[in-house]
Amino acid sequence: MGWFTRTTPEERMVREVTRAASDLVQSQPRAQGGGGGSETRWHGASRALRSMSSWLPFLGSPNRDLSTPERKTLVARSRDAMRNHPIARAAIVRTRTNVVGTGLICRPQVDHEVLGLTEEQADILNAQIQREWEMYAGDPRECDAEATLNHYQLQALALVSAMTGGDCFVTTPWIDRPGTIYSTRLQLIETDRVSNPNGQPDSQFMVEGIEFDEYGAPVAIHICTGYPDDKFLKYPLRWERVEVFGAQTGRRRVLQVWCDKERPGLKRGAPYLAPILEPLQKLERYASAELMSAVISAMFTVFIKKTDSFNDGGQGQPLFGDEDPAPGVGGGGSGAVELGEGAIVDLAQGEEPMVANPARPNAQFDPFFSAIVKEIGAALELPLEELMLHYSSSYSAARAAMLQAWRFYTMRRWWLVCDFCQPSYELMFDEAVARGRISAPGYSDPALRKAYTKSIWIGPARGAIDELKEAKAARERIDVGISNETIETAAMTGETWQQVNRQRARELVQRRANGTTVEVAPAKPAVATKPEPEEIEEED
């Protein structure tokens, strides 16, 4: 029997397509112009151009293009980069700090028009709902199945887990605990634990532990009791099937917090760092090599050469590495020779040092490093200034970088609210109504339920480089009519205007009662003046 090579269907397809393209090129005359011609109208579709001939990607389904082995590798490398690579960690923690920070605050906003309530009645109901939510969200024993983190800390953990793992799952078990008000808990499940039972291959209606119907809607997920890839498990693994929606009520039992869903029909997500892992690894190796070179060059060592009146004829001191490592033993040498800060090395007779200049630090390191970080930041939607926390350009350039980054943070915040915050708030609301803690007539009607559970989520404010300029700009937007006080208050302080206004009114009443009211003179008309030199913005 002769030796043979077994080829996959994809390899056979590539060979057939390449052979067909070659036959097409030989049978047709080359097109004129276009840098040498092409057999296709679009140069990007050419298989004959030298620059494109080796680029042969496959067309596959969303789940095939993000297969289980590749996704596991991406997740493992993303977590390792998060632990050990400064740029990767900076991208993750910067997003966590700006998207969540100290937590996204829920402000109930019931739709009083649909519910037939007056604005005063709606305010009273909103205050009652917010009290119930704060009792639930602020206590780890109330909201966390592990009784470790409150809801605001869970938000940060869910975001980081989804960004490093591609997605994160949240189950809602019913756990009774002494001394608690509610029994609905939130349990975060890492992406590794959701998989096909016993390592079964994907099927028509199950992909990587997610079971779905004919329309692609999730029906159930299969959660492993441990980590299937853990090599040191000492107990047998089993999988639990958890329905995504309750069979009787349709209540959410499983939440999937996505990092990104880039294609329709995709069931599992890719990590946030997946597109930049290769340049990130190369950049880390380059930076480590430059750092080590700088350290070695800083260890300048002085060599002392001894002279002798006659040739030792091979009877001199032993070579480096051959001497007794213990100094002073038997009158031997002085130990192993190595570099050190300000070290003086005594050379053997007849030996002469060779001086090499490593030319460190490298003057081209910072420009090249910054150029690669810019490319990485572009893929991550984070400008260089925001990623490195280095605002060295003008005010306008720094503010533009901050605004561009906040577009990304706002989008991430909205995804987190849709996938985690609002669903968990509605679960608490369901139990509060069932226990009679909140009166909600007609709550069983899905339309009225949405009216009752409407809310806004406010996160930490984006801050300002120059608060005076930002405040003046906000006042101008309000005066012109393109904004309002609610929007500007939320953007600058992270609070609602209603809450700020009520607190301000209470403060003024208290001041008048104490006799400490400060009279504010009416504002004078603005007079055009020549701007000061520091107010003139220079563009880079």
Side-chain angles (χ1 to χ4, degrees):
M1 180 189 296
W3 293 96
F4 65 96
T5 303
R6 182 173 299 175
T7 59
T8 62
E10 290 83 358
E11 293 175 343
R12 290 195 295 270
M13 182 184 68
V14 171
R15 291 180 181 178
E16 293 176 0
V17 172
T18 305
R19 188 182 302 109
S22 178
D23 295 341
L24 181 63
V25 172
Q26 295 178 3
S27 61
Q28 293 183 358
R30 296 180 63 85
Q32 298 297 324
S38 174
E39 84 285 2
T40 58
R41 293 179 177 86
W42 293 83
H43 289 181
S46 174
R47 293 183 181 271
L49 294 175
R50 292 184 178 179
S51 58
M52 309 295 290
S53 59
S54 60
W55 192 356
L56 302 173
F58 301 110
L59 279 177
S61 65
N63 300 304
R64 179 66 184 276
D65 286 348
L66 187 61
S67 61
T68 303
E70 292 184 3
R71 201 180 72 85
K72 288 183 177 181
T73 302
L74 291 174
V75 171
R77 290 176 176 173
S78 295
R79 289 175 179 167
D80 184 75
M82 168 70 175
R83 290 189 296 263
N84 300 305
H85 293 185
I87 300 298
R89 185 170 185 83
I92 298 293
V93 299
R94 194 88 67 252
T95 303
R96 178 205 61 190
T97 301
N98 288 279
V99 172
V100 178
T102 56
L104 305 182
I105 307 299
C106 177
R107 295 287 184 256
Q109 299 287 324
V110 297
D111 193 338
H112 66 278
E113 295 180 352
V114 175
L115 299 176
L117 303 175
T118 63
E119 293 187 5
E120 292 76 13
Q121 292 174 333
D123 290 340
I124 296 174
L125 181 57
N126 287 332
Q128 179 189 2
I129 297 172
Q130 185 166 350
R131 283 193 296 269
E132 294 294 327
W133 169 252
E134 289 176 352
M135 285 190 297
Y136 176 79
D139 189 350
R141 298 181 70 248
E142 292 281 357
C143 62
D144 189 6
E146 300 179 6
T148 305
L149 304 177
N150 60 30
H151 193 272
Y152 310 109
Q153 296 169 314
L154 290 176
Q155 295 171 10
L157 181 59
L159 178 64
V160 172
S161 181
M163 295 184 72
T164 55
D167 53 20
C168 176
F169 294 86
V170 185
T171 58
T172 60
W174 186 274
I175 304 175
D176 291 326
R177 286 186 180 136
T180 59
I181 303 172
Y182 293 95
S183 299
T184 300
R185 315 298 179 202
L186 304 174
Q187 185 174 17
L188 269 61
I189 306 294
E190 274 197 313
T191 183
D192 311 50
R193 295 180 56 191
V194 177
S195 59
N196 293 343
N198 300 313
Q200 299 175 4
D202 294 340
S203 60
Q204 182 180 0
F205 295 108
M206 182 184 293
V207 173
E208 289 200 64
I210 298 183
E211 186 179 337
F212 50 92
D213 59 16
E214 57 182 339
Y215 300 103
V219 175
I221 65 170
H222 296 262
I223 303 176
C224 183
T225 54
Y227 287 79
D229 296 320
D230 196 341
K231 306 301 183 184
F232 303 99
L233 287 176
K234 298 181 179 180
Y235 54 88
L237 297 177
R238 55 184 178 85
W239 278 258
E240 180 183 359
R241 183 180 183 272
V242 182
E243 295 183 353
V244 177
F245 301 96
Q248 300 297 329
T249 62
R251 192 168 181 259
R252 290 291 295 267
R253 300 187 59 195
V254 179
L255 310 177
Q256 185 177 8
V257 183
W258 285 84
C259 175
D260 271 318
K261 185 174 182 178
E262 299 179 347
R263 294 182 62 181
L266 190 64
K267 302 306 177 187
R268 304 298 298 271
Y272 174 60
L273 301 175
I276 54 96
L277 286 176
E278 182 188 7
L280 183 66
Q281 176 69 2
K282 292 179 178 179
L283 184 66
E284 180 66 18
R285 293 177 61 187
Y286 170 65
S288 299
E290 286 291 338
L291 178 60
M292 181 56 66
S293 299
V295 170
I296 292 176
S297 65
M299 291 183 178
F300 181 78
T301 302
V302 177
F303 294 84
I304 299 179
K305 179 181 178 182
K306 293 182 178 180
T307 59
D308 196 0
S309 57
F310 59 89
N311 295 331
D312 57 5
Q315 303 298 323
Q317 296 184 6
L319 297 177
F320 293 159
D322 294 337
E323 64 271 15
D324 190 343
V329 178
S334 58
V337 177
E338 59 182 12
L339 294 176
E341 297 88 344
I344 300 177
V345 178
D346 190 5
L347 294 180
Q349 295 181 0
E351 294 178 347
E352 185 174 350
M354 299 297 295
V355 179
N357 182 15
R360 289 294 186 275
N362 184 7
Q364 301 302 320
F365 171 75
D366 185 67
F368 178 77
F369 185 86
S370 299
I372 302 302
V373 173
K374 286 180 182 178
E375 183 179 354
I376 292 176
L380 300 179
E381 296 187 85
L382 290 175
L384 172 66
E385 294 85 353
E386 185 73 12
L387 185 58
M388 302 296 292
L389 289 181
H390 183 64
Y391 300 91
S392 60
S393 53
S394 66
Y395 168 83
S396 299
R399 188 173 186 275
M402 178 182 291
L403 292 177
Q404 184 62 39
W406 266 93
R407 292 178 182 174
F408 165 72
Y409 297 145
T410 303
M411 185 271 294
R412 286 285 174 185
R413 182 178 294 178
W414 179 74
W415 273 67
L416 183 63
V417 168
C418 294
D419 290 349
F420 179 71
C421 298
Q422 183 64 23
S424 58
Y425 168 73
E426 295 176 0
L427 291 172
M428 184 281 307
F429 206 109
D430 292 344
E431 185 178 354
V433 173
R435 291 181 178 272
R437 299 188 61 84
I438 297 177
S439 177
Y443 189 74
S444 58
D445 185 350
L448 295 181
R449 181 177 183 271
K450 291 184 179 298
Y452 277 115
T453 56
K454 284 190 63 176
S455 63
I456 59 175
W457 293 83
I458 302 175
R462 69 187 180 196
I465 299 177
D466 190 329
E467 293 189 1
L468 180 59
K469 291 182 180 180
E470 296 288 345
K472 290 181 179 179
R475 184 178 61 185
E476 290 295 328
R477 287 192 291 267
I478 295 174
D479 294 341
V480 172
I482 60 176
S483 184
N484 55 52
E485 295 182 2
T486 300
I487 296 176
E488 299 299 336
T489 304
M492 297 191 68
T493 66
E495 295 289 342
T496 60
W497 177 83
Q498 290 82 358
Q499 183 177 3
V500 173
N501 186 49
R502 285 194 297 265
Q503 179 63 28
R504 180 60 176 161
R506 288 192 292 266
E507 292 174 355
L508 291 177
V509 171
Q510 187 66 34
R511 276 181 171 273
R512 294 190 185 98
N514 297 338
T516 57
T517 304
V518 179
E519 298 294 337
V520 180
K524 296 181 180 180
V527 180
T529 58
K530 184 177 180 181
E532 296 296 331
E534 60 269 12
E535 297 181 357
I536 301 177
E537 301 173 4
E538 297 181 358
E539 299 291 342
D540 285 353

